[in-house]
PDB file of all heavy atoms in Angstrom:
ATOM      1  N   GLN A   1     123.813  91.152  96.408  1.00 47.00           N
ATOM      2  CA  GLN A   1     122.440  91.290  95.953  1.00 47.00           C
ATOM      3  C   GLN A   1     121.629  92.034  97.008  1.00 47.00           C
ATOM      4  O   GLN A   1     121.779  91.817  98.194  1.00 47.00           O
ATOM      5  CB  GLN A   1     121.834  89.920  95.690  1.00 47.00           C
ATOM      6  CG  GLN A   1     120.407  90.002  95.216  1.00 47.00           C
ATOM      7  CD  GLN A   1     119.856  88.620  94.912  1.00 47.00           C
ATOM      8  OE1 GLN A   1     120.562  87.644  94.830  1.00 47.00           O
ATOM      9  NE2 GLN A   1     118.562  88.569  94.739  1.00 47.00           N
ATOM     10  N   ALA A   2     120.739  92.890  96.556  1.00 58.00           N
ATOM     11  CA  ALA A   2     119.903  93.675  97.455  1.00 58.00           C
ATOM     12  C   ALA A   2     118.881  92.782  98.146  1.00 58.00           C
ATOM     13  O   ALA A   2     118.435  91.771  97.608  1.00 58.00           O
ATOM     14  CB  ALA A   2     119.188  94.771  96.681  1.00 58.00           C
ATOM     15  N   ASP A   3     118.505  93.174  99.346  1.00 69.00           N
ATOM     16  CA  ASP A   3     117.510  92.440 100.127  1.00 69.00           C
ATOM     17  C   ASP A   3     116.137  92.640  99.486  1.00 69.00           C
ATOM     18  O   ASP A   3     115.699  93.766  99.290  1.00 69.00           O
ATOM     19  CB  ASP A   3     117.523  92.976 101.557  1.00 69.00           C
ATOM     20  CG  ASP A   3     116.733  92.122 102.517  1.00 69.00           C
ATOM     21  OD1 ASP A   3     115.724  91.525 102.102  1.00 69.00           O
ATOM     22  OD2 ASP A   3     117.132  92.065 103.686  1.00 69.00           O
ATOM     23  N   PRO A   4     115.429  91.560  99.151  1.00 74.00           N
ATOM     24  CA  PRO A   4     114.142  91.698  98.466  1.00 74.00           C
ATOM     25  C   PRO A   4     112.972  92.064  99.383  1.00 74.00           C
ATOM     26  O   PRO A   4     111.900  92.385  98.896  1.00 74.00           O
ATOM     27  CB  PRO A   4     113.926  90.314  97.856  1.00 74.00           C
ATOM     28  CG  PRO A   4     114.635  89.399  98.783  1.00 74.00           C
ATOM     29  CD  PRO A   4     115.833  90.172  99.281  1.00 74.00           C
ATOM     30  N   ARG A   5     113.178  92.006 100.714  1.00 81.00           N
ATOM     31  CA  ARG A   5     112.057  92.235 101.637  1.00 81.00           C
ATOM     32  C   ARG A   5     111.589  93.691 101.619  1.00 81.00           C
ATOM     33  O   ARG A   5     112.386  94.614 101.583  1.00 81.00           O
ATOM     34  CB  ARG A   5     112.461  91.872 103.059  1.00 81.00           C
ATOM     35  CG  ARG A   5     112.804  90.411 103.222  1.00 81.00           C
ATOM     36  CD  ARG A   5     113.253  90.113 104.618  1.00 81.00           C
ATOM     37  NE  ARG A   5     114.517  90.788 104.896  1.00 81.00           N
ATOM     38  CZ  ARG A   5     115.128  90.772 106.079  1.00 81.00           C
ATOM     39  NH1 ARG A   5     114.588  90.138 107.089  1.00 81.00           N
ATOM     40  NH2 ARG A   5     116.265  91.391 106.254  1.00 81.00           N
ATOM     41  N   CYS A   6     110.321  93.842 101.661  1.00 89.00           N
ATOM     42  CA  CYS A   6     109.674  95.145 101.823  1.00 89.00           C
ATOM     43  C   CYS A   6     108.240  94.815 102.240  1.00 89.00           C
ATOM     44  O   CYS A   6     107.309  94.908 101.458  1.00 89.00           O
ATOM     45  CB  CYS A   6     109.724  95.946 100.533  1.00 89.00           C
ATOM     46  SG  CYS A   6     109.410  97.698 100.773  1.00 89.00           S
ATOM     47  N   PHE A   7     108.105  94.381 103.487  1.00 91.00           N
ATOM     48  CA  PHE A   7     106.883  93.742 103.960  1.00 91.00           C
ATOM     49  C   PHE A   7     105.609  94.559 103.758  1.00 91.00           C
ATOM     50  O   PHE A   7     104.645  94.076 103.172  1.00 91.00           O
ATOM     51  CB  PHE A   7     107.003  93.388 105.449  1.00 91.00           C
ATOM     52  CG  PHE A   7     108.118  92.435 105.763  1.00 91.00           C
ATOM     53  CD1 PHE A   7     109.089  92.781 106.684  1.00 91.00           C
ATOM     54  CD2 PHE A   7     108.203  91.208 105.142  1.00 91.00           C
ATOM     55  CE1 PHE A   7     110.111  91.908 106.995  1.00 91.00           C
ATOM     56  CE2 PHE A   7     109.222  90.324 105.440  1.00 91.00           C
ATOM     57  CZ  PHE A   7     110.187  90.681 106.368  1.00 91.00           C
ATOM     58  N   SER A  10     104.788  95.530 100.072  1.00 93.00           N
ATOM     59  CA  SER A  10     104.400  94.315  99.343  1.00 93.00           C
ATOM     60  C   SER A  10     102.981  93.884  99.716  1.00 93.00           C
ATOM     61  O   SER A  10     102.201  93.489  98.843  1.00 93.00           O
ATOM     62  CB  SER A  10     105.368  93.170  99.650  1.00 93.00           C
ATOM     63  OG  SER A  10     106.649  93.461  99.161  1.00 93.00           O
ATOM     64  N   PRO A  16     105.454  91.574  95.968  1.00 88.00           N
ATOM     65  CA  PRO A  16     106.785  92.164  96.124  1.00 88.00           C
ATOM     66  C   PRO A  16     107.372  92.600  94.789  1.00 88.00           C
ATOM     67  O   PRO A  16     108.386  93.289  94.745  1.00 88.00           O
ATOM     68  CB  PRO A  16     107.606  91.031  96.751  1.00 88.00           C
ATOM     69  CG  PRO A  16     106.879  89.785  96.412  1.00 88.00           C
ATOM     70  CD  PRO A  16     105.432  90.156  96.284  1.00 88.00           C
ATOM     71  N   VAL A  21     106.668  98.938  95.099  1.00 91.00           N
ATOM     72  CA  VAL A  21     107.559  98.322  96.088  1.00 91.00           C
ATOM     73  C   VAL A  21     109.010  98.547  95.680  1.00 91.00           C
ATOM     74  O   VAL A  21     109.873  98.806  96.517  1.00 91.00           O
ATOM     75  CB  VAL A  21     107.243  96.819  96.246  1.00 91.00           C
ATOM     76  CG1 VAL A  21     108.208  96.151  97.209  1.00 91.00           C
ATOM     77  CG2 VAL A  21     105.800  96.628  96.717  1.00 91.00           C
ATOM     78  N   ARG A  25     112.318  99.839  97.897  1.00 90.00           N
ATOM     79  CA  ARG A  25     113.571  99.084  97.982  1.00 90.00           C
ATOM     80  C   ARG A  25     114.754  99.916  97.505  1.00 90.00           C
ATOM     81  O   ARG A  25     115.825  99.885  98.087  1.00 90.00           O
ATOM     82  CB  ARG A  25     113.480  97.813  97.133  1.00 90.00           C
ATOM     83  CG  ARG A  25     112.846  96.690  97.832  1.00 90.00           C
ATOM     84  CD  ARG A  25     113.162  95.391  97.076  1.00 90.00           C
ATOM     85  NE  ARG A  25     112.034  94.523  97.209  1.00 90.00           N
ATOM     86  CZ  ARG A  25     111.088  94.326  96.289  1.00 90.00           C
ATOM     87  NH1 ARG A  25     111.159  94.886  95.118  1.00 90.00           N
ATOM     88  NH2 ARG A  25     110.083  93.535  96.536  1.00 90.00           N
ATOM     89  N   ARG A  28     115.656 102.371 100.207  1.00 89.00           N
ATOM     90  CA  ARG A  28     116.308 101.671 101.319  1.00 89.00           C
ATOM     91  C   ARG A  28     117.768 101.386 100.982  1.00 89.00           C
ATOM     92  O   ARG A  28     118.665 101.699 101.755  1.00 89.00           O
ATOM     93  CB  ARG A  28     115.569 100.356 101.598  1.00 89.00           C
ATOM     94  CG  ARG A  28     116.222  99.513 102.684  1.00 89.00           C
ATOM     95  CD  ARG A  28     115.842  98.056 102.603  1.00 89.00           C
ATOM     96  NE  ARG A  28     116.223  97.487 101.330  1.00 89.00           N
ATOM     97  CZ  ARG A  28     115.593  96.480 100.746  1.00 89.00           C
ATOM     98  NH1 ARG A  28     114.546  95.926 101.317  1.00 89.00           N
ATOM     99  NH2 ARG A  28     115.988  96.014  99.584  1.00 89.00           N
ATOM    100  N   ASP A  29     117.992 100.815  99.810  1.00 89.00           N
ATOM    101  CA  ASP A  29     119.346 100.427  99.428  1.00 89.00           C
ATOM    102  C   ASP A  29     120.234 101.635  99.167  1.00 89.00           C
ATOM    103  O   ASP A  29     121.406 101.644  99.523  1.00 89.00           O
ATOM    104  CB  ASP A  29     119.311  99.523  98.200  1.00 89.00           C
ATOM    105  CG  ASP A  29     118.607  98.209  98.462  1.00 89.00           C
ATOM    106  OD1 ASP A  29     118.456  97.827  99.647  1.00 89.00           O
ATOM    107  OD2 ASP A  29     118.191  97.561  97.485  1.00 89.00           O
ATOM    108  N   TYR A  46     112.363  95.682 109.912  1.00 91.00           N
ATOM    109  CA  TYR A  46     112.266  94.234 109.724  1.00 91.00           C
ATOM    110  C   TYR A  46     111.814  93.521 110.998  1.00 91.00           C
ATOM    111  O   TYR A  46     111.142  92.506 110.934  1.00 91.00           O
ATOM    112  CB  TYR A  46     113.585  93.656 109.235  1.00 91.00           C
ATOM    113  CG  TYR A  46     113.897  94.002 107.799  1.00 91.00           C
ATOM    114  CD1 TYR A  46     115.193  94.202 107.378  1.00 91.00           C
ATOM    115  CD2 TYR A  46     112.882  94.130 106.856  1.00 91.00           C
ATOM    116  CE1 TYR A  46     115.480  94.521 106.064  1.00 91.00           C
ATOM    117  CE2 TYR A  46     113.154  94.454 105.549  1.00 91.00           C
ATOM    118  CZ  TYR A  46     114.459  94.644 105.154  1.00 91.00           C
ATOM    119  OH  TYR A  46     114.734  94.957 103.854  1.00 91.00           O
TER     120      TYR A  46
END
Side-chain angles (χ1 to χ4, degrees):
Q1 180 178 347
D3 191 327
R5 297 177 294 176
C6 197
F7 299 124
S10 295
V21 177
R25 276 196 213 100
R28 176 202 59 209
D29 296 341
Y46 288 146

